[in-house]
Amino acid sequence: VKFNNCAGNKGVRYETNSLDFKVRADGTMYAAHQLQMPSKPLVLRVAAWDPQSLGRREAIVRLLVAEKSQHSGHKPKGRRVVPGELAQQQSDTLLPWHQHQSANGLRRQKRDWVIPPINVPENSRGPFPQQLVRIRSDKDKEIHIRYSITGVGADQPPMEVFSIDPVSGRMYVTRPMDREERASYHLRAHAVDMNGNKVENPIDLYIYVIDMNDNRPEFINQVYNGSVDEGSKPGTYVMTVTANDADDSTTANGMVRYRIVTQTPQSPSQNMFTINSETGDIVTVAAGLDREKVQQYIVIVQATDMEGNLNYGLSNTATAIITVTDVNDNPPEFTTSTYSGEVPENRVEVVVANLTVMDRDQPHSPNWNAIYRIISGDPSGHFTIRTDPVTNEGMVTVVKAVDYEMNRAFMLTVMVSNQAPLASGIQMSFQSTAGVTISVTDVNEAPYFPTNHKLIRLEEGVPTGTVLTTFSAVDPDRFMQQAVRYSKLSDPANWLNINATNGQITTAAVLDRESDYIKNNVYEATFLAADNGIPPASGTGTLQIYLIDINDNAPELLPKEAQICEKPNLNVINITAADADIDPNVGPFVFELPSVPSAVRKNWTITRLNGDYAQLSLRIMYLEAGVYDVPIIVTDSGNPPLYNTSVIKVKVCPCDENGDCTTIGAVAAAGLGTGAIIAILICIIILLTMVLLFVVWMKRREKERHTKQLLIDPEDDVRDNILKYDEEGGGEEDQDYDLSQLQQPETMDHVLNKTPGVRRVDERPIGAETQYPIRPVIPHPGDIGDFINEGLRAADNDPTAPPYDSLLVFDYEGSGSTARSLRPLHYSSS
């Protein structure tokens, strides 16, 4: 092997990737020991490197095994095949089916050769077809042989890349090759006679496409985005760019090397970054990255094949955008050392001061966002500081109301920091603390009742005008001379009065615990206390009065009505009492019958069950059915006790065997005898009969009215009768109207001289009239419909028949009237 390092090849060393072969300093390759050579060709990689320049180059060597000659006795010699050499040798004929003859010439022994690979450079310019090699058999001297090839590139897709002359055995390539499309081809050569019989065994042909540097490196992305923290040390990894070359990566054609072409901006140094030429890793090479000065770098990276040789290699470029990310290397600082504000007392959620800070870190990031704390000056927690998310200002806000009478001013010490901790080695600035002075202004505060709700206890029924208590309010404005006045705000029962000056409360009516305004024995009233400040302020207070019960309600008997059998049995009446008072002014109750009238105790008796219940029953063996008023005296247990005489209505009735009142018995108990019941039933029957007769008469009358509507009574025909109407006149006031237009004309010439066929339809025609059959006055009762239809046809065909209610023409009203004037007529004043 030969190598030229342009320096006389001094000190060049060779290496192989095989332990069986070595290369001397002059480039001679030899076998390191005795070995059995395989039948296939050996492919070795030989490397030459220069210790001085540390340059390294590699080459591929294919060793072919020659066959040993039997008759000459000499050892076979190996041949080194250089790519493309076969097509350029003086003799390009291969004898793969080489044959040997024995010494006596009687036997022939054949051994196949191993054909070395055929190397074809890609992108050849031709001319095409271009001969690669000639294949022949030594039998072609005896018989005619035809050659052919099969395989991918011949008779399989891609078709006809290679061809062979069937007679001469010359094999051609028909078009330029592309290694990136296909790097190698495996064909088989065949030799047959003219009859198609196999003459020789098929031989394998390996064709390798030799790579040319015809592809530029291509970056995976045209733009790469990376980031690095500001202040990073040299050697900090940033990103990796990658370019691929379609050429053979085992040769220099596909070996890509990277370099940085330009860096923008070149601050603080023009070489802030470097790139690993083989891996494409970009790292920092200099210190001084500061986001506050340069936020982004644009780096142009170039990838070149041929191991970065700019003279022979192909290149391509990509853009790497490196963003300098922020770290918290700038503490926030107040723009001034003191701030001031003012707040009215008793106000909350009010911003009293805005604290402005400056931070050079990236806005709206944890390194920029401010957090404020009150260090001192607010032990009661009246204030807090909230951060404005847009401006990053601190808003001092009142969260707990302040009292002017307690504190007239506050001196706060505040400190600001960031959400993110400061970077290593960065100290907090003395400008990160400031003072805030807050003044409190006095406002008119409303009076308040110290004891609210105020509870008092007293017995119900106290007389009107009784003083209950003094419900006074306190004005918190100690530095203002103001008067407080009182009034009622809510008094549902209108039982109370309050003194407007001192708040003394008295009764305006008797307080009743049993009133509907009392809830759980408590009566509530609300009072208002108002000062005379500017503007006036007022406060409310609630007075609760707990009413202690007294025995002021007598018990009432329950139930008010009952029912019992007329004969004594187990059927008794259970009675109890209801008292509006509460314990101890209620039960146990005492039930007793009055001594007057005497019949009460004679007929009835009361048996006590317990303190609240008793039983009323008959004393005698039989009591006539009816309703009885039984008076009972009920007495409670109050002090003093109250009693009430209540009357219970008891219905005494006959009962069945179960002790229940019968229906007749219930009626009898209402006070009606058997005769009265029969009389009531007879009256009901008579009344129902009269109603039935009235309905039948009304139906008959309705039927007769319907029949008369179909028959026209001659007396009701308005055409043959003179109807009298009430007089309708206006008295003497009508004498001023001109009635000459209503008079009949003296002559009829203007009517008789009219053109035939033209007449007024609102007047009776003059002259001969057509005679029409006389219409019957009384219809035949057999067919009312025919009578109506016949009368309708006669009226339609008779133009003289009134009324003349056709289209009326009022264009002529005559020159006079044959009738006398209406002036002599006198109207009755009545």
Side-chain angles (χ1 to χ4, degrees), residues 455-668:
L455 178 65
I456 61 175
R457 301 170 63 92
L458 71 154
E459 289 185 350
E460 63 173 330
V462 295
T464 302
T466 303
V467 177
L468 301 182
T469 185
T470 298
F471 198 26
S472 58
V474 177
D475 191 347
D477 297 314
R478 295 176 300 179
F479 302 100
M480 298 181 184
Q481 300 298 326
Q482 298 179 153
V484 179
R485 296 189 65 82
Y486 302 91
S487 61
K488 283 196 305 183
L489 187 63
S490 173
D491 184 10
N494 201 23
W495 285 345
L496 305 175
N497 289 326
I498 186 168
N499 188 293
T501 304
N502 57 18
Q504 188 180 68
I505 297 176
T506 58
T507 59
V510 177
L511 279 62
D512 185 7
R513 192 201 65 84
E514 290 74 31
S515 172
D516 293 336
Y517 298 104
I518 302 298
K519 305 297 181 183
N520 298 324
N521 300 329
V522 175
Y523 178 75
E524 282 192 0
T526 305
F527 299 93
L528 185 71
D531 61 19
N532 58 351
I534 301 176
S538 61
T540 61
T542 301
L543 178 65
Q544 294 180 331
I545 303 174
Y546 185 88
L547 295 178
I548 301 172
D549 184 46
I550 62 175
N551 193 18
D552 57 346
N553 293 278
E556 294 288 337
L557 184 68
L558 294 177
K560 300 296 182 181
E561 296 181 355
Q563 186 174 279
I564 194 171
C565 295
E566 58 186 3
K567 294 182 180 181
N569 55 8
L570 297 178
N571 192 354
V572 294
I573 301 173
N574 292 323
I575 58 176
T576 185
D579 197 325
D581 294 322
I582 59 175
D583 191 69
N585 297 320
V586 287
F589 300 103
V590 176
F591 302 91
E592 57 184 346
L593 296 174
S595 57
V596 179
S598 60
V600 175
R601 291 191 174 185
K602 177 181 178 182
N603 297 333
W604 305 91
T605 183
I606 290 180
T607 304
R608 182 175 179 179
L609 297 178
N610 52 37
D612 295 330
Y613 292 92
Q615 287 183 344
L616 176 65
S617 59
L618 287 174
R619 179 185 293 272
I620 59 178
M621 298 304 296
Y622 173 80
L623 184 63
E624 185 180 357
V627 178
Y628 297 88
D629 292 336
V630 181
I632 299 176
I633 300 173
V634 184
T635 306
D636 60 20
S637 299
N639 186 20
L642 296 180
Y643 67 91
N644 183 27
T645 301
S646 300
V647 177
I648 180 172
K649 289 185 176 295
V650 180
K651 294 181 181 180
V652 180
C653 60
C655 297
D656 55 15
E657 61 276 6
N658 296 324
D660 299 327
C661 284
T662 61
T663 303
I664 298 177
V667 175

Side-chain angles (χ1 to χ4, degrees), residues 52 239 250 332 334 366 383 464 520 544 546 647 663 678 762 790:
Q52 297 179 358
M239 68 170 72
T250 62
F334 286 105
F383 304 95
T464 302
N520 298 324
Q544 294 180 331
Y546 185 88
V647 177
T663 303
I678 295 175
D762 59 333
E790 183 178 352

Side-chain angles (χ1 to χ4, degrees), residues 423-442:
S424 176
I426 305 299
Q427 300 296 327
M428 184 68 71
S429 172
F430 71 93
Q431 295 180 351
S432 297
T433 59
V436 182
T437 301
I438 300 175
S439 301
V440 182
T441 58
D442 190 17

Side-chain angles (χ1 to χ4, degrees), residues 65-77 98 100 111 113:
V65 181
E67 187 153 321
K68 187 183 297 184
S69 177
Q70 294 182 358
H71 61 279
S72 61
H74 66 277
K75 296 181 180 180
K77 297 181 179 180
H98 184 69
H100 304 277
R111 177 180 293 177
W113 278 10

Side-chain angles (χ1 to χ4, degrees), residues 443-457:
V443 297
N444 185 26
E445 300 177 76
Y448 67 94
F449 292 88
T451 55
N452 193 16
H453 303 13
K454 185 175 183 179
L455 178 65
I456 61 175
R457 301 170 63 92

Side-chain angles (χ1 to χ4, degrees), residues 664 667-668 672-682:
I664 298 177
V667 175
L672 297 178
T674 305
I677 296 174
I678 295 175
I680 291 173
L681 294 177
I682 294 175

Side-chain angles (χ1 to χ4, degrees), residues 40 73 76 132 162 299 304 362 379 384 392 400 463 485 698 757 807:
K40 295 183 179 180
L132 297 179
F162 303 98
V299 177
T304 306
Q362 184 176 359
T384 187
N392 212 29
K400 183 179 179 181
R485 296 189 65 82
M698 288 298 294
L807 180 62

